[in-house]
Amino acid sequence: MTSADERELRTASRRLALQFALIIVGLFVALGVVVFSVVAAGQAEAARKVLADASMVDSPHDAPRNLLVTAVGPDGSRESSPDLPEGLPDEQALAQVEQNGGSVSGEVEADGRRYLVETDVRNGRVVQIAYGLGEQQEELARLLVALVASGVIATVAAALVGLFLARRSIRPLADALSLQRRFVADAGHELRTPLTLLSTRAQLLRRHVVSTDADEEVRTGLDEIVDDSRALTEIVQDLLTAADPRQTAEAVEVDLAELAGAVARAAEGRAEERDVTIDVSPEPGSLVTGAPVSLRRMIVALIDNALDHARSHISVTVGPHRDSVLLTVQDDGPGFSEGVEDRAFDRFASARDAQTAEPHGRHYGLGLALVAEVVSRHHGTVDASNRPEGGAVVTVRLPKRQ
């Protein structure tokens, strides 16, 4: 495994560990909210029960030590528990009950502490009982600190455990990817060498033929061999780039209409062998941003797919449409099988029924999958459908160069 692969492994492990830690944090937050809410509700219920149990208290002398009582007689005389904090009694509640009767409950803050206060009429006197919530608030504060501390500890532990498990889980996959990249690189190197030799020999042969009185058809054929060998070399490099996501091809301005015309001209020989005509309808302004080799490979795959199934005619149209460029390839073949939208662009999927009358070799179901891959890398979309009059239509939509 190379140093770059090791860096990728470490980065992926950290991401998984971070995600695992975030999940633990989310679970702890949810659990903490539930626990805190349950404890707070229980304390509030306990405070209300204490006040309910003190329903017979109507004098400060009869009150337990944890209750503060204020009693107002009919003549306005008042008795209060000693050392009432500032803010008690709740004069507004006393006046309301004294005037309207009934009972008033609520919380009052006095000297920075919260009190649960209930005011009602008992034995002809207005009695107000206050229960301090300070201890409950302190318990809730201690619970909150404990939850936060345990959450931090659990998060750190989860991150460390997640990092360890992630590295152990990802390493086999990283080793497999590294082996795949080495295989692709080795295969690319082995392919580039004979392709370079083929291109060199073809160029030498072309120079020799140009200097002689050779037939024009031979010269044209040699020119096409040189162009095809160069295109094959570029395709190999593009495949290497696609196989390793760490590599990126340089994006340049590409005239998709011109590129489609060049690919169609290169396919004319194969089309003539099958008595198929290829018509190209280019429109100006069909400029996109991308890798020319990848886009050429995409168009080659589309035309090859159409040639494999067309009976007599293939139509290629390229033109701008709003903020996109549309490339449409149509043929008059049997069309796509039913349910094509679900699997037309899957690898090794046979999206169309083969023409048994004139088989053209085995189909591996990779052409449209490669098209979808190239389109995705160029931030476009592709879809397949059938023509009403018969035949298939593949439409590629790529962002227009701004």
Side-chain angles (χ1 to χ4, degrees), residues 29-82:
V29 169
L31 178 63
V33 169
V34 172
V35 171
F36 191 86
S37 301
V38 169
V39 173
Q43 290 184 343
E45 182 63 28
R48 287 192 293 269
K49 185 177 181 182
V50 169
L51 290 181
D53 292 342
S55 60
M56 300 304 295
V57 175
D58 60 358
S59 171
H61 306 292
D62 301 332
R65 297 180 59 185
N66 61 338
L67 296 179
L68 299 176
V69 179
T70 298
V72 181
D75 57 355
S77 60
R78 177 176 296 195
E79 291 183 290
S80 299
S81 298

